[in-house]
Amino acid sequence: MCSRILIFVAIALAAPAEIIDRIAVSVGTQVITTDQIDEEVRVTAFLNHTEPKLTVEEKKKAAERLIEQTLIKEGMEYSHYPLPTLADAEPMVKLREDEYPGRAAFLADLSRYGITEEELRQHVWWQITLLKFIDDRFRPAIQVSNADVEQHYREQVQKWREEGVTSIPALAESRTAMEQAVIEERVDNALGRWLGDARTRVDIRFRDGAFQ
């Protein structure tokens, strides 16, 4: 699926002096706070089974993801895109919980990452929302010919050979997978172009020292 992992950006309702101290990035009239960046790092690490690294580099990567998330959210609002319900995230949250020997262990690991079950649920819900939006917005326009599939197959065969793979499937056996890979690549490229265009229409500013 698409590699861009996303979550909603909320506007903090706080006293002006307090919110200014916490703003990391402004995207037009929207803001991304340092707390939201830290949460993005922690939840993403939890979902990827990695340790959270609150380094400057990781915070900047998280900020870039949140900028994209803000732009997509605005696109959804502009097009009145229908959102799934929060309950749609429950099966995926339950799958993650089932990886643990019991609910107590699941909650303990969430606590170790510094996130709550509700934050996890909101993050998963937004992943579902994003993937559905991408499918509905970009996939219908993608067309893949037999020549496209065959070209992708030849490129994949070359990669397999370079990696030392000896059991290489024939095109007939892998056609569906090759076609799907081409579609996913083109959807991701279309999303990238859409985001690039969206960035040109909004003022994005980073706060000095916000990532230290």
Side-chain angles (χ1 to χ4, degrees), residues 37-68:
I37 290 173
D38 286 354
E39 180 183 316
E40 169 71 11
V41 172
R42 293 178 185 280
V43 176
T44 300
F46 178 82
L47 290 172
N48 291 338
H49 298 284
T50 60
E51 290 300 316
K53 297 178 181 178
L54 295 173
T55 62
V56 172
E57 181 181 6
E58 289 303 316
K59 287 182 179 181
K60 286 183 177 180
K61 289 179 182 178
E64 285 296 331
R65 293 196 298 270
L66 291 171
I67 289 170
E68 292 181 349

PDB file of all heavy atoms in Angstrom, residues 37-68:
ATOM      1  N   ILE A  37       3.867  16.149  17.184  1.00  0.00           N
ATOM      2  CA  ILE A  37       5.025  15.522  16.547  1.00  0.00           C
ATOM      3  C   ILE A  37       5.536  14.370  17.401  1.00  0.00           C
ATOM      4  O   ILE A  37       5.825  13.283  16.891  1.00  0.00           O
ATOM      5  CB  ILE A  37       6.133  16.562  16.308  1.00  0.00           C
ATOM      6  CG1 ILE A  37       5.696  17.539  15.208  1.00  0.00           C
ATOM      7  CG2 ILE A  37       7.451  15.885  15.929  1.00  0.00           C
ATOM      8  CD1 ILE A  37       6.635  18.704  15.010  1.00  0.00           C
ATOM      9  N   ASP A  38       5.643  14.587  18.705  1.00  0.00           N
ATOM     10  CA  ASP A  38       6.090  13.513  19.594  1.00  0.00           C
ATOM     11  C   ASP A  38       5.138  12.323  19.534  1.00  0.00           C
ATOM     12  O   ASP A  38       5.573  11.164  19.509  1.00  0.00           O
ATOM     13  CB  ASP A  38       6.187  14.021  21.037  1.00  0.00           C
ATOM     14  CG  ASP A  38       7.388  14.930  21.261  1.00  0.00           C
ATOM     15  OD1 ASP A  38       8.211  15.068  20.327  1.00  0.00           O
ATOM     16  OD2 ASP A  38       7.504  15.511  22.357  1.00  0.00           O
ATOM     17  N   GLU A  39       3.841  12.601  19.507  1.00  0.00           N
ATOM     18  CA  GLU A  39       2.856  11.514  19.433  1.00  0.00           C
ATOM     19  C   GLU A  39       2.994  10.750  18.127  1.00  0.00           C
ATOM     20  O   GLU A  39       2.919   9.515  18.104  1.00  0.00           O
ATOM     21  CB  GLU A  39       1.435  12.076  19.556  1.00  0.00           C
ATOM     22  CG  GLU A  39       0.353  11.018  19.484  1.00  0.00           C
ATOM     23  CD  GLU A  39      -1.042  11.608  19.542  1.00  0.00           C
ATOM     24  OE1 GLU A  39      -1.272  12.507  20.392  1.00  0.00           O
ATOM     25  OE2 GLU A  39      -1.892  11.180  18.739  1.00  0.00           O
ATOM     26  N   GLU A  40       3.200  11.462  17.022  1.00  0.00           N
ATOM     27  CA  GLU A  40       3.377  10.814  15.722  1.00  0.00           C
ATOM     28  C   GLU A  40       4.581   9.874  15.752  1.00  0.00           C
ATOM     29  O   GLU A  40       4.516   8.751  15.243  1.00  0.00           O
ATOM     30  CB  GLU A  40       3.555  11.883  14.639  1.00  0.00           C
ATOM     31  CG  GLU A  40       4.005  11.360  13.289  1.00  0.00           C
ATOM     32  CD  GLU A  40       2.941  10.574  12.555  1.00  0.00           C
ATOM     33  OE1 GLU A  40       1.766  10.594  12.980  1.00  0.00           O
ATOM     34  OE2 GLU A  40       3.288   9.925  11.544  1.00  0.00           O
ATOM     35  N   VAL A  41       5.674  10.319  16.357  1.00  0.00           N
ATOM     36  CA  VAL A  41       6.867   9.478  16.454  1.00  0.00           C
ATOM     37  C   VAL A  41       6.572   8.230  17.273  1.00  0.00           C
ATOM     38  O   VAL A  41       6.922   7.111  16.890  1.00  0.00           O
ATOM     39  CB  VAL A  41       8.037  10.262  17.079  1.00  0.00           C
ATOM     40  CG1 VAL A  41       9.221   9.326  17.360  1.00  0.00           C
ATOM     41  CG2 VAL A  41       8.496  11.388  16.163  1.00  0.00           C
ATOM     42  N   ARG A  42       5.925   8.412  18.406  1.00  0.00           N
ATOM     43  CA  ARG A  42       5.688   7.293  19.327  1.00  0.00           C
ATOM     44  C   ARG A  42       4.698   6.274  18.754  1.00  0.00           C
ATOM     45  O   ARG A  42       4.936   5.058  18.838  1.00  0.00           O
ATOM     46  CB  ARG A  42       5.173   7.832  20.666  1.00  0.00           C
ATOM     47  CG  ARG A  42       6.199   8.661  21.436  1.00  0.00           C
ATOM     48  CD  ARG A  42       5.603   9.205  22.730  1.00  0.00           C
ATOM     49  NE  ARG A  42       6.508  10.082  23.429  1.00  0.00           N
ATOM     50  CZ  ARG A  42       7.524   9.680  24.206  1.00  0.00           C
ATOM     51  NH1 ARG A  42       7.723   8.376  24.377  1.00  0.00           N
ATOM     52  NH2 ARG A  42       8.307  10.540  24.809  1.00  0.00           N
ATOM     53  N   VAL A  43       3.586   6.741  18.183  1.00  0.00           N
ATOM     54  CA  VAL A  43       2.587   5.815  17.655  1.00  0.00           C
ATOM     55  C   VAL A  43       3.131   5.074  16.438  1.00  0.00           C
ATOM     56  O   VAL A  43       2.921   3.862  16.289  1.00  0.00           O
ATOM     57  CB  VAL A  43       1.279   6.555  17.298  1.00  0.00           C
ATOM     58  CG1 VAL A  43       0.284   5.593  16.663  1.00  0.00           C
ATOM     59  CG2 VAL A  43       0.667   7.194  18.538  1.00  0.00           C
ATOM     60  N   THR A  44       3.850   5.780  15.570  1.00  0.00           N
ATOM     61  CA  THR A  44       4.429   5.130  14.399  1.00  0.00           C
ATOM     62  C   THR A  44       5.418   4.051  14.818  1.00  0.00           C
ATOM     63  O   THR A  44       5.446   2.948  14.244  1.00  0.00           O
ATOM     64  CB  THR A  44       5.119   6.163  13.493  1.00  0.00           C
ATOM     65  OG1 THR A  44       4.148   7.128  13.060  1.00  0.00           O
ATOM     66  CG2 THR A  44       5.731   5.492  12.272  1.00  0.00           C
ATOM     67  N   ALA A  45       6.234   4.346  15.826  1.00  0.00           N
ATOM     68  CA  ALA A  45       7.192   3.352  16.324  1.00  0.00           C
ATOM     69  C   ALA A  45       6.465   2.149  16.902  1.00  0.00           C
ATOM     70  O   ALA A  45       6.861   1.001  16.680  1.00  0.00           O
ATOM     71  CB  ALA A  45       8.100   3.984  17.376  1.00  0.00           C
ATOM     72  N   PHE A  46       5.389   2.377  17.634  1.00  0.00           N
ATOM     73  CA  PHE A  46       4.607   1.285  18.205  1.00  0.00           C
ATOM     74  C   PHE A  46       4.055   0.381  17.107  1.00  0.00           C
ATOM     75  O   PHE A  46       4.156  -0.845  17.182  1.00  0.00           O
ATOM     76  CB  PHE A  46       3.472   1.843  19.055  1.00  0.00           C
ATOM     77  CG  PHE A  46       2.577   0.791  19.659  1.00  0.00           C
ATOM     78  CD1 PHE A  46       2.934   0.135  20.827  1.00  0.00           C
ATOM     79  CD2 PHE A  46       1.371   0.456  19.051  1.00  0.00           C
ATOM     80  CE1 PHE A  46       2.108  -0.846  21.372  1.00  0.00           C
ATOM     81  CE2 PHE A  46       0.546  -0.521  19.592  1.00  0.00           C
ATOM     82  CZ  PHE A  46       0.918  -1.171  20.759  1.00  0.00           C
ATOM     83  N   LEU A  47       3.490   0.973  16.070  1.00  0.00           N
ATOM     84  CA  LEU A  47       2.900   0.192  14.980  1.00  0.00           C
ATOM     85  C   LEU A  47       3.956  -0.551  14.173  1.00  0.00           C
ATOM     86  O   LEU A  47       3.684  -1.616  13.617  1.00  0.00           O
ATOM     87  CB  LEU A  47       2.088   1.111  14.061  1.00  0.00           C
ATOM     88  CG  LEU A  47       0.796   1.677  14.652  1.00  0.00           C
ATOM     89  CD1 LEU A  47       0.200   2.722  13.724  1.00  0.00           C
ATOM     90  CD2 LEU A  47      -0.214   0.578  14.935  1.00  0.00           C
ATOM     91  N   ASN A  48       5.158   0.013  14.123  1.00  0.00           N
ATOM     92  CA  ASN A  48       6.233  -0.609  13.349  1.00  0.00           C
ATOM     93  C   ASN A  48       7.117  -1.526  14.189  1.00  0.00           C
ATOM     94  O   ASN A  48       8.124  -2.044  13.693  1.00  0.00           O
ATOM     95  CB  ASN A  48       7.102   0.468  12.688  1.00  0.00           C
ATOM     96  CG  ASN A  48       6.372   1.221  11.592  1.00  0.00           C
ATOM     97  OD1 ASN A  48       5.401   0.734  11.029  1.00  0.00           O
ATOM     98  ND2 ASN A  48       6.831   2.415  11.290  1.00  0.00           N
ATOM     99  N   HIS A  49       6.758  -1.705  15.451  1.00  0.00           N
ATOM    100  CA  HIS A  49       7.532  -2.573  16.353  1.00  0.00           C
ATOM    101  C   HIS A  49       8.987  -2.106  16.483  1.00  0.00           C
ATOM    102  O   HIS A  49       9.913  -2.908  16.494  1.00  0.00           O
ATOM    103  CB  HIS A  49       7.503  -4.028  15.875  1.00  0.00           C
ATOM    104  CG  HIS A  49       6.133  -4.627  15.839  1.00  0.00           C
ATOM    105  ND1 HIS A  49       5.466  -5.026  16.983  1.00  0.00           N
ATOM    106  CD2 HIS A  49       5.305  -4.895  14.799  1.00  0.00           C
ATOM    107  CE1 HIS A  49       4.288  -5.522  16.641  1.00  0.00           C
ATOM    108  NE2 HIS A  49       4.161  -5.440  15.337  1.00  0.00           N
ATOM    109  N   THR A  50       9.179  -0.795  16.558  1.00  0.00           N
ATOM    110  CA  THR A  50      10.513  -0.238  16.748  1.00  0.00           C
ATOM    111  C   THR A  50      10.514   0.669  17.973  1.00  0.00           C
ATOM    112  O   THR A  50       9.453   1.064  18.460  1.00  0.00           O
ATOM    113  CB  THR A  50      10.960   0.573  15.520  1.00  0.00           C
ATOM    114  OG1 THR A  50      10.023   1.652  15.300  1.00  0.00           O
ATOM    115  CG2 THR A  50      11.019  -0.299  14.279  1.00  0.00           C
ATOM    116  N   GLU A  51      11.697   0.986  18.459  1.00  0.00           N
ATOM    117  CA  GLU A  51      11.797   1.877  19.602  1.00  0.00           C
ATOM    118  C   GLU A  51      11.623   3.323  19.146  1.00  0.00           C
ATOM    119  O   GLU A  51      12.187   3.725  18.118  1.00  0.00           O
ATOM    120  CB  GLU A  51      13.155   1.702  20.291  1.00  0.00           C
ATOM    121  CG  GLU A  51      13.309   0.376  21.015  1.00  0.00           C
ATOM    122  CD  GLU A  51      12.269   0.194  22.117  1.00  0.00           C
ATOM    123  OE1 GLU A  51      12.022   1.163  22.874  1.00  0.00           O
ATOM    124  OE2 GLU A  51      11.693  -0.901  22.214  1.00  0.00           O
ATOM    125  N   PRO A  52      10.854   4.116  19.873  1.00  0.00           N
ATOM    126  CA  PRO A  52      10.677   5.523  19.489  1.00  0.00           C
ATOM    127  C   PRO A  52      11.961   6.309  19.691  1.00  0.00           C
ATOM    128  O   PRO A  52      12.606   6.205  20.727  1.00  0.00           O
ATOM    129  CB  PRO A  52       9.568   6.009  20.434  1.00  0.00           C
ATOM    130  CG  PRO A  52       9.652   5.114  21.619  1.00  0.00           C
ATOM    131  CD  PRO A  52      10.096   3.767  21.091  1.00  0.00           C
ATOM    132  N   LYS A  53      12.345   7.068  18.665  1.00  0.00           N
ATOM    133  CA  LYS A  53      13.554   7.895  18.750  1.00  0.00           C
ATOM    134  C   LYS A  53      13.149   9.352  18.577  1.00  0.00           C
ATOM    135  O   LYS A  53      12.838   9.789  17.473  1.00  0.00           O
ATOM    136  CB  LYS A  53      14.546   7.481  17.659  1.00  0.00           C
ATOM    137  CG  LYS A  53      15.048   6.052  17.796  1.00  0.00           C
ATOM    138  CD  LYS A  53      15.995   5.702  16.660  1.00  0.00           C
ATOM    139  CE  LYS A  53      16.487   4.269  16.775  1.00  0.00           C
ATOM    140  NZ  LYS A  53      17.391   3.895  15.642  1.00  0.00           N
ATOM    141  N   LEU A  54      13.138  10.084  19.672  1.00  0.00           N
ATOM    142  CA  LEU A  54      12.727  11.478  19.637  1.00  0.00           C
ATOM    143  C   LEU A  54      13.933  12.366  19.324  1.00  0.00           C
ATOM    144  O   LEU A  54      14.238  13.323  20.034  1.00  0.00           O
ATOM    145  CB  LEU A  54      12.075  11.864  20.963  1.00  0.00           C
ATOM    146  CG  LEU A  54      10.755  11.140  21.268  1.00  0.00           C
ATOM    147  CD1 LEU A  54      10.274  11.450  22.674  1.00  0.00           C
ATOM    148  CD2 LEU A  54       9.689  11.530  20.244  1.00  0.00           C
ATOM    149  N   THR A  55      14.598  12.039  18.224  1.00  0.00           N
ATOM    150  CA  THR A  55      15.743  12.816  17.770  1.00  0.00           C
ATOM    151  C   THR A  55      15.258  13.934  16.848  1.00  0.00           C
ATOM    152  O   THR A  55      14.112  13.924  16.374  1.00  0.00           O
ATOM    153  CB  THR A  55      16.729  11.928  17.011  1.00  0.00           C
ATOM    154  OG1 THR A  55      16.072  11.390  15.851  1.00  0.00           O
ATOM    155  CG2 THR A  55      17.219  10.778  17.887  1.00  0.00           C
ATOM    156  N   VAL A  56      16.136  14.886  16.570  1.00  0.00           N
ATOM    157  CA  VAL A  56      15.778  15.975  15.667  1.00  0.00           C
ATOM    158  C   VAL A  56      15.388  15.421  14.300  1.00  0.00           C
ATOM    159  O   VAL A  56      14.390  15.839  13.705  1.00  0.00           O
ATOM    160  CB  VAL A  56      16.947  16.970  15.532  1.00  0.00           C
ATOM    161  CG1 VAL A  56      16.652  18.004  14.442  1.00  0.00           C
ATOM    162  CG2 VAL A  56      17.221  17.667  16.861  1.00  0.00           C
ATOM    163  N   GLU A  57      16.156  14.450  13.819  1.00  0.00           N
ATOM    164  CA  GLU A  57      15.887  13.866  12.509  1.00  0.00           C
ATOM    165  C   GLU A  57      14.515  13.200  12.460  1.00  0.00           C
ATOM    166  O   GLU A  57      13.740  13.403  11.512  1.00  0.00           O
ATOM    167  CB  GLU A  57      16.963  12.846  12.152  1.00  0.00           C
ATOM    168  CG  GLU A  57      16.757  12.200  10.788  1.00  0.00           C
ATOM    169  CD  GLU A  57      17.825  11.159  10.466  1.00  0.00           C
ATOM    170  OE1 GLU A  57      18.652  10.857  11.349  1.00  0.00           O
ATOM    171  OE2 GLU A  57      17.813  10.637   9.336  1.00  0.00           O
ATOM    172  N   GLU A  58      14.192  12.379  13.478  1.00  0.00           N
ATOM    173  CA  GLU A  58      12.909  11.683  13.491  1.00  0.00           C
ATOM    174  C   GLU A  58      11.750  12.653  13.665  1.00  0.00           C
ATOM    175  O   GLU A  58      10.672  12.463  13.089  1.00  0.00           O
ATOM    176  CB  GLU A  58      12.896  10.630  14.603  1.00  0.00           C
ATOM    177  CG  GLU A  58      13.794   9.441  14.328  1.00  0.00           C
ATOM    178  CD  GLU A  58      13.450   8.734  13.028  1.00  0.00           C
ATOM    179  OE1 GLU A  58      12.250   8.522  12.771  1.00  0.00           O
ATOM    180  OE2 GLU A  58      14.379   8.407  12.275  1.00  0.00           O
ATOM    181  N   LYS A  59      11.958  13.700  14.451  1.00  0.00           N
ATOM    182  CA  LYS A  59      10.903  14.701  14.632  1.00  0.00           C
ATOM    183  C   LYS A  59      10.629  15.446  13.327  1.00  0.00           C
ATOM    184  O   LYS A  59       9.474  15.740  13.004  1.00  0.00           O
ATOM    185  CB  LYS A  59      11.294  15.677  15.736  1.00  0.00           C
ATOM    186  CG  LYS A  59      11.223  15.096  17.140  1.00  0.00           C
ATOM    187  CD  LYS A  59      11.583  16.146  18.182  1.00  0.00           C
ATOM    188  CE  LYS A  59      11.493  15.584  19.593  1.00  0.00           C
ATOM    189  NZ  LYS A  59      11.819  16.615  20.613  1.00  0.00           N
ATOM    190  N   LYS A  60      11.677  15.722  12.570  1.00  0.00           N
ATOM    191  CA  LYS A  60      11.481  16.412  11.291  1.00  0.00           C
ATOM    192  C   LYS A  60      10.749  15.511  10.299  1.00  0.00           C
ATOM    193  O   LYS A  60       9.907  15.972   9.531  1.00  0.00           O
ATOM    194  CB  LYS A  60      12.826  16.865  10.729  1.00  0.00           C
ATOM    195  CG  LYS A  60      13.416  18.060  11.476  1.00  0.00           C
ATOM    196  CD  LYS A  60      14.718  18.532  10.843  1.00  0.00           C
ATOM    197  CE  LYS A  60      15.243  19.772  11.550  1.00  0.00           C
ATOM    198  NZ  LYS A  60      16.516  20.254  10.943  1.00  0.00           N
ATOM    199  N   LYS A  61      11.070  14.216  10.311  1.00  0.00           N
ATOM    200  CA  LYS A  61      10.354  13.274   9.444  1.00  0.00           C
ATOM    201  C   LYS A  61       8.877  13.225   9.835  1.00  0.00           C
ATOM    202  O   LYS A  61       7.990  13.197   8.963  1.00  0.00           O
ATOM    203  CB  LYS A  61      10.972  11.882   9.551  1.00  0.00           C
ATOM    204  CG  LYS A  61      12.343  11.741   8.912  1.00  0.00           C
ATOM    205  CD  LYS A  61      12.873  10.321   9.101  1.00  0.00           C
ATOM    206  CE  LYS A  61      14.261  10.155   8.515  1.00  0.00           C
ATOM    207  NZ  LYS A  61      14.793   8.782   8.749  1.00  0.00           N
ATOM    208  N   ALA A  62       8.617  13.184  11.140  1.00  0.00           N
ATOM    209  CA  ALA A  62       7.237  13.154  11.612  1.00  0.00           C
ATOM    210  C   ALA A  62       6.511  14.439  11.230  1.00  0.00           C
ATOM    211  O   ALA A  62       5.337  14.408  10.836  1.00  0.00           O
ATOM    212  CB  ALA A  62       7.208  12.957  13.126  1.00  0.00           C
ATOM    213  N   ALA A  63       7.207  15.572  11.321  1.00  0.00           N
ATOM    214  CA  ALA A  63       6.596  16.854  10.956  1.00  0.00           C
ATOM    215  C   ALA A  63       6.211  16.870   9.483  1.00  0.00           C
ATOM    216  O   ALA A  63       5.138  17.367   9.108  1.00  0.00           O
ATOM    217  CB  ALA A  63       7.556  17.997  11.267  1.00  0.00           C
ATOM    218  N   GLU A  64       7.062  16.305   8.621  1.00  0.00           N
ATOM    219  CA  GLU A  64       6.750  16.250   7.196  1.00  0.00           C
ATOM    220  C   GLU A  64       5.512  15.391   6.949  1.00  0.00           C
ATOM    221  O   GLU A  64       4.666  15.717   6.115  1.00  0.00           O
ATOM    222  CB  GLU A  64       7.942  15.706   6.406  1.00  0.00           C
ATOM    223  CG  GLU A  64       9.080  16.695   6.249  1.00  0.00           C
ATOM    224  CD  GLU A  64       8.693  17.921   5.438  1.00  0.00           C
ATOM    225  OE1 GLU A  64       7.803  17.813   4.571  1.00  0.00           O
ATOM    226  OE2 GLU A  64       9.270  18.994   5.677  1.00  0.00           O
ATOM    227  N   ARG A  65       5.413  14.279   7.679  1.00  0.00           N
ATOM    228  CA  ARG A  65       4.208  13.439   7.533  1.00  0.00           C
ATOM    229  C   ARG A  65       2.969  14.210   7.972  1.00  0.00           C
ATOM    230  O   ARG A  65       1.919  14.137   7.329  1.00  0.00           O
ATOM    231  CB  ARG A  65       4.358  12.153   8.357  1.00  0.00           C
ATOM    232  CG  ARG A  65       5.431  11.208   7.858  1.00  0.00           C
ATOM    233  CD  ARG A  65       5.278   9.814   8.451  1.00  0.00           C
ATOM    234  NE  ARG A  65       5.399   9.789   9.892  1.00  0.00           N
ATOM    235  CZ  ARG A  65       6.539   9.615  10.553  1.00  0.00           C
ATOM    236  NH1 ARG A  65       7.687   9.493   9.890  1.00  0.00           N
ATOM    237  NH2 ARG A  65       6.553   9.565  11.877  1.00  0.00           N
ATOM    238  N   LEU A  66       3.085  14.955   9.045  1.00  0.00           N
ATOM    239  CA  LEU A  66       1.942  15.702   9.562  1.00  0.00           C
ATOM    240  C   LEU A  66       1.564  16.863   8.639  1.00  0.00           C
ATOM    241  O   LEU A  66       0.392  17.220   8.540  1.00  0.00           O
ATOM    242  CB  LEU A  66       2.238  16.205  10.974  1.00  0.00           C
ATOM    243  CG  LEU A  66       2.312  15.116  12.046  1.00  0.00           C
ATOM    244  CD1 LEU A  66       2.815  15.688  13.359  1.00  0.00           C
ATOM    245  CD2 LEU A  66       0.951  14.458  12.237  1.00  0.00           C
ATOM    246  N   ILE A  67       2.551  17.454   7.973  1.00  0.00           N
ATOM    247  CA  ILE A  67       2.240  18.485   6.985  1.00  0.00           C
ATOM    248  C   ILE A  67       1.391  17.882   5.866  1.00  0.00           C
ATOM    249  O   ILE A  67       0.366  18.442   5.459  1.00  0.00           O
ATOM    250  CB  ILE A  67       3.529  19.093   6.416  1.00  0.00           C
ATOM    251  CG1 ILE A  67       4.219  19.960   7.479  1.00  0.00           C
ATOM    252  CG2 ILE A  67       3.224  19.944   5.170  1.00  0.00           C
ATOM    253  CD1 ILE A  67       5.619  20.397   7.092  1.00  0.00           C
ATOM    254  N   GLU A  68       1.814  16.730   5.369  1.00  0.00           N
ATOM    255  CA  GLU A  68       1.047  16.055   4.315  1.00  0.00           C
ATOM    256  C   GLU A  68      -0.348  15.702   4.807  1.00  0.00           C
ATOM    257  O   GLU A  68      -1.335  15.810   4.064  1.00  0.00           O
ATOM    258  CB  GLU A  68       1.784  14.804   3.853  1.00  0.00           C
ATOM    259  CG  GLU A  68       3.085  15.104   3.115  1.00  0.00           C
ATOM    260  CD  GLU A  68       3.803  13.858   2.645  1.00  0.00           C
ATOM    261  OE1 GLU A  68       3.394  12.745   3.090  1.00  0.00           O
ATOM    262  OE2 GLU A  68       4.734  13.970   1.844  1.00  0.00           O
TER     263      GLU A  68
END
